[in-house]
Amino acid sequence: MNRKNENFYQAINANWASQAVIPDDKPRTGGFSDLADAIEDLMLTTTDQWQAGTLVNQDPYIENFIKLHKLASDYPKRNAEGVKPILPLIKRYQAYNSFADFAADMVELEQAALPNALPLGIAPDFKDARTNVLWAEGLGTILPDTSYYGTADGDALLEQWRESQRQILEHYELTAGEIADLLDKTLAFDARIATVVLSNEESSEYAKLYHPYQWDEFTALAPMLPFEEIVASLLGSTPDMIVVPEERFWQAAEEFYSEAAWPLLKAYLLVSVMTGFTSLLSDELRVLGGAYGRALSGTPVAMSSRKAAYYLAAGPYKQALGLWYAKQYFSSTAKEDVEAKVETMIDVYKQRLAATDWLAPETRQKAIVKLDAIVPHIGYPDKLPARYANKVINLELGLFDNIMQLRQKELAYHWSQWHQPVDRSEWHMAAHTVNAYYDPQQNQIVFPAAILQAPFYSLDQSSSANYGGIGAVIAHEISHAFDTNGASFDENGSLNNWWTEADYAAFKERTQLMVEQFDGQDSYGAKVNGKLTVSENVADLGGLAAALAAAKQDADFSAVAFFESWAKIWRMKARPEYMQLLAKSDVHGPAELRVNLQVQNFDDFFAAFDVKAGDGMWLAPEKRLQIW
């Protein structure tokens, strides 16, 4: 049954899957995960050597990471302190007797990086992607998506959440009745949030999130909040406008920010304080704090205290650690080769756009202008963000105080960016991250060093295998410039309709067919949401098409090597709970479907593997889809 013409993904990956072992502290293993696990082992070993002094470090940024790691690794001290660092915070929140008391303190709570239930932030303006403006988001929900609420699965997860939080709250001087009351009210508050915030499906349509409000118009939605005092302190002046993607939430603001809502909000805040800092406390609390997340993904065991200390310390210094990794393990030869592949892929995409017969000439030309403007970043950034110089660790202070100071500095920087130019040089992934991304608002594609290795890419692999691996990933990211989200942004990253009406209608018709290819497909008993995953699926399809065209330019082209490489990079063995979670809430399609459904759209696949009508992998020619 695992023949390549019956189930291509299984035929390529079945032997690997039969032997692959999912680590006890992970929800999955596979192409991406294997590389990430190897880098994890490398960084843990290296960090131990830095601590022991057997490996010399001369980087001042990493020196501060080493100091923070020393504090994070001091579990005897952390265990002895228990919840002690949190007790003053609890008293502070308990002392608020009314919503007005709390609201008067919201700015100080924000500046102190403490829970405040005010989801405002700074991000690029969709209409002018080079400038940062104020955004009003909604509060997050306990469950992974609003679609879980009111279902049996959702109810079961909420019970697991409640039990995990109860065990944490028992470490404070609270009676069973007080704990029950706090959790009852927090769940009631969460239920309110779930009725008005956007679902993952709704959030996946970027262009529909842009709702600019005049400042006075927005503040009228929540007159009980002291917005003038808040923004004067955080921004230094009053904004002229604010972007409100979560309109339903703010139109229901009285349900969250009012004296009537205060009993629920106060409980929500207290639970947030008591449970939100567990990663900084004792090892027992650290493990309890991750219990709900492990339940969601089906992961049976918490990560070791050694790993937890590393990740806690590494978070504020990830770009510095990534730069160290890249300079040690990423060759200039590989960088030059991948940069050449990016240029080739952009040229191929340009040729394909020029030949796209369903677009008017003016739309094709504007698409090529956008393509020419894409900025690729390969391997690692040229420099670290300037604010890294402020990330100084004081060993005289404890772990909690150092972490909070780092968070406060990061928040101060965040708020300082209002009405400032967007820093287009800063990467949003560290170089030792096994991933890649396209940023529609900066029209950039970023490929960290860690993904530029086998099975995705190797100087030892054939050209066709590399195109089926990293080539398809590169073209996937380029394709995001023309997916259902990227298509709404111009070459500068600004929200701008550059399509003719007829062309966009034709584009929507084709993307709807992509929705239908995936919608309702089964993944471990959960149904795939074709609309939620459409942007990633369009990018996969475009990426495969462009990479295949590029591979064909080489004299040694092999369709077999190309498609088999595509199947290998997506191999994944995962826990059923995790796969169900992804099917319900992830914008990416499940790995097996990303392989099998996509290759069925290519005539070359059927020829390469002699797939005929009646075979499991057969798809009639009239149903095969191409967009770009």
Side-chain angles (χ1 to χ4, degrees):
M1 186 61 187
N2 283 335
R3 289 175 298 145
K4 295 173 186 176
N5 59 345
E6 290 297 335
N7 185 321
F8 186 61
Y9 173 90
Q10 291 293 343
I12 298 299
N13 296 313
N15 287 340
W16 167 84
S18 68
Q19 301 172 49
V21 176
I22 304 172
D24 287 345
D25 62 349
K26 302 280 174 65
R28 69 180 189 181
T29 190
F32 284 77
S33 303
D34 289 347
L35 291 181
D37 290 349
I39 290 170
E40 178 184 81
D41 289 342
L42 169 70
M43 299 308 293
L44 287 169
T45 300
T46 303
T47 299
D48 287 346
Q49 292 172 336
W50 282 331
Q51 286 291 352
T54 57
L55 182 65
V56 176
N57 165 69
Q58 296 181 324
D59 185 327
Y61 303 114
I62 289 180
E63 187 60 36
N64 279 295
F65 157 73
I66 293 170
K67 289 179 181 179
L68 185 58
H69 181 259
K70 182 178 181 179
L71 294 173
S73 301
D74 190 353
Y75 282 100
K77 183 176 181 181
R78 292 174 60 175
N79 293 339
E81 287 186 339
V83 298
K84 186 178 178 182
I86 307 300
L87 297 180
L89 300 182
I90 294 173
K91 289 182 179 178
R92 179 173 184 171
Y93 284 83
Q94 286 174 332
Y96 297 133
N97 292 316
S98 66
F99 176 75
D101 281 352
F102 163 70
D105 210 20
M106 289 178 89
V107 169
E108 287 191 18
L109 292 172
E110 173 66 16
Q111 292 171 332
L114 295 173
N116 54 62
L118 187 64
L120 301 184
I122 307 298
D125 186 356
F126 272 13
K127 284 292 186 181
D128 174 16
R130 296 180 182 274
T131 303
N132 286 309
V133 296
L134 188 62
W135 286 65
E137 303 289 348
L139 293 174
T141 56
I142 293 170
L143 295 179
D145 184 41
T146 58
S147 63
Y148 278 77
Y149 287 83
T151 68
D153 285 348
D155 291 343
L157 284 172
L158 287 174
E159 279 303 311
Q160 289 180 298
W161 176 87
R162 183 187 183 100
E163 176 58 19
S164 69
Q165 306 306 290
R166 182 191 66 76
Q167 292 183 42
I168 297 171
L169 266 56
E170 283 183 340
H171 286 73
Y172 299 93
E173 294 181 359
L174 299 169
T175 67
E178 288 170 331
I179 291 173
D181 182 61
L182 283 171
L183 296 177
D184 285 344
K185 288 175 178 173
T186 300
L187 285 164
F189 195 71
D190 177 69
R192 288 187 181 184
I193 297 170
T195 63
V196 290
V197 292
L198 296 171
S199 68
N200 289 349
E201 181 183 311
E202 291 172 312
S203 297
S204 71
E205 297 184 83
Y206 296 169
K208 293 183 179 180
L209 303 179
Y210 190 70
H211 305 292
Y213 279 59
Q214 292 298 310
W215 180 243
D216 291 345
E217 182 185 11
F218 170 71
T219 57
L221 297 175
M224 64 294 296
L225 282 169
F227 275 123
E228 295 304 321
E229 293 85 348
I230 290 170
V231 298
S233 298
L234 295 176
L235 304 182
S237 63
T238 301
D240 51 351
M241 63 84 78
I242 183 172
V243 182
V244 188
E246 293 276 3
E247 285 189 294
R248 289 196 304 260
F249 175 84
W250 286 101
Q251 287 162 359
E254 192 173 352
E255 291 291 302
F256 310 101
Y257 309 110
S258 65
E259 293 299 343
W262 174 241
L264 301 187
L265 175 57
K266 183 175 184 179
Y268 171 86
L269 292 165
L270 280 166
V271 171
S272 296
V273 171
M274 293 178 188
T275 65
F277 298 96
T278 52
S279 65
L280 312 182
L281 305 177
S282 70
D283 203 38
E284 180 188 5
L285 284 163
R286 191 250 326 162
V287 173
L288 287 174
Y292 174 61
R294 293 193 297 277
L296 279 175
S297 64
T299 305
V301 175
M303 72 169 61
S304 67
S305 56
R306 178 187 178 218
K307 286 184 184 179
Y310 164 74
Y311 282 113
L312 176 59
Y317 299 98
K318 60 185 178 182
Q319 293 286 6
L321 292 167
L323 207 52
W324 174 88
Y325 167 84
K327 288 180 177 179
Q328 297 289 324
Y329 296 98
F330 187 55
S331 72
S332 58
T333 303
K335 183 177 174 71
E336 289 168 7
D337 189 57
V338 174
E339 285 174 341
K341 276 187 167 47
V342 171
E343 288 182 15
T344 298
M345 214 65 67
I346 289 177
D347 284 342
V348 167
Y349 222 112
K350 204 178 297 184
Q351 295 165 20
R352 292 181 65 81
L353 278 170
T356 304
D357 58 9
W358 55 272
L359 288 180
E362 59 265 36
T363 308
R364 283 204 303 267
Q365 187 54 44
K366 287 177 181 176
I368 290 171
V369 166
K370 181 173 184 180
L371 194 62
D372 279 333
I374 290 176
V375 177
H377 293 302
I378 309 298
Y380 51 89
D382 295 329
K383 60 183 175 65
L384 292 175
R387 63 186 183 280
Y388 264 59
N390 298 322
K391 296 187 174 188
V392 179
I393 298 302
N394 181 357
L395 289 174
E396 298 300 313
L397 299 176
L399 173 66
F400 183 83
D401 288 338
N402 271 289
I403 289 286
M404 294 307 293
Q405 283 192 9
L406 289 172
R407 292 179 181 178
Q408 289 158 14
K409 289 175 182 177
E410 197 64 27
L411 268 174
Y413 170 78
H414 176 79
W415 288 112
S416 75
Q417 294 306 292
W418 178 68
H419 267 199
Q420 297 301 307
V422 174
D423 182 356
R424 295 190 167 216
S425 70
E426 183 167 339
W427 287 35
H428 305 304
M429 277 180 188
H432 61 318
T433 305
V434 185
N435 212 329
Y437 70 89
Y438 170 76
D439 186 335
Q441 289 194 270
Q442 297 190 27
N443 201 23
Q444 293 179 354
I445 50 175
V446 178
F447 300 94
I451 199 173
L452 302 174
Q453 55 183 312
F456 297 91
Y457 167 80
S458 171
L459 293 171
D460 298 326
Q461 289 183 165
S462 72
S463 173
S464 293
N466 276 336
Y467 274 117
I470 198 62
V473 174
I474 290 169
H476 167 103
E477 300 305 340
I478 294 171
S479 297
H480 273 309
F482 307 100
D483 69 13
T484 51
N485 284 318
S488 299
F489 295 84
D490 64 18
E491 71 274 14
N492 298 311
S494 295
L495 191 64
N496 184 14
N497 183 13
W498 46 272
W499 299 70
T500 68
E501 189 173 329
D503 284 348
Y504 197 70
F507 174 68
K508 294 294 286 182
E509 183 179 316
R510 283 163 173 77
T511 58
Q512 179 58 33
L513 293 174
M514 186 93 267
V515 170
E516 292 167 7
Q517 274 196 357
F518 278 78
D519 197 50
Q521 294 282 345
D522 180 78
S523 180
Y524 290 73
K527 297 299 182 185
V528 175
N529 182 335
K531 190 174 180 183
L532 173 66
T533 57
V534 63
S535 284
E536 291 295 335
N537 292 332
V538 168
D540 275 348
L541 181 64
L544 262 181
L548 181 61
K552 286 181 174 180
Q553 294 180 357
D554 290 347
D556 62 348
F557 168 68
S558 165
V560 170
F562 177 86
F563 286 112
E564 288 187 353
S565 183
W566 172 254
K568 285 176 185 173
I569 67 171
W570 294 114
R571 67 188 184 194
M572 183 165 73
K573 185 175 183 178
R575 304 186 191 282
E577 298 92 338
Y578 182 69
M579 293 304 293
Q580 290 172 4
L581 173 67
L582 293 184
K584 294 176 183 176
S585 59
D586 189 15
V587 294
H588 302 85
E592 184 168 340
L593 299 179
R594 291 184 79 168
V595 172
N596 285 349
L597 295 189
Q598 293 291 3
V599 299
Q600 287 180 310
N601 289 307
F602 293 88
D603 296 344
D604 290 272
F605 170 76
F606 296 92
F609 298 99
D610 194 28
V611 181
K612 294 182 170 59
D615 292 342
M617 289 300 300
W618 177 257
L619 185 67
E622 66 272 13
K623 292 185 177 180
R624 297 172 197 171
L625 176 61
Q626 288 294 314
I627 299 177
W628 299 115

